[in-house]
Amino acid sequence: MTHTIFFAFPDEMTEADRAEFFREGTAMALASDLVESYVHKPSIPLPTHVAPAFVPSAMAQMRYPDLASLQKYLTHPPVGEFVRKWQQKFPYQAVSVNTED
């Protein structure tokens, strides 16, 4: 299973803040023993003539051995703490999609 999250960070969130966000997120995910891998990448914005509904700044992908591991991770207490902490510092938007590998 792959869980892909697209993040739209506010303009006031610096590159250093984003690096720390992903450092903490990667460490938390891998320390959970539920996530097999974690990668993140910044978005490469391109001009468009269509008004997008959502403009992502970055994405993260986490791989899980199975659906049960993904479901357990999403209710893992450190995940909620991480989201609350970073939402308080820099309110961001996120959308996700889950896919089978």
Side-chain angles (χ1 to χ4, degrees), residues 46-52:
L46 297 174
T48 180
H49 299 294
V50 178

Side-chain angles (χ1 to χ4, degrees), residues 74-101:
L74 294 176
T75 61
H76 188 52
V79 173
E81 293 166 14
F82 174 84
V83 170
R84 281 188 294 279
K85 171 188 170 179
W86 283 98
Q87 282 287 345
Q88 283 183 329
K89 290 174 85 167
F90 300 102
Y92 61 86
Q93 296 177 336
V95 295
S96 65
V97 62
N98 304 309
T99 55
E100 283 190 282
D101 296 329

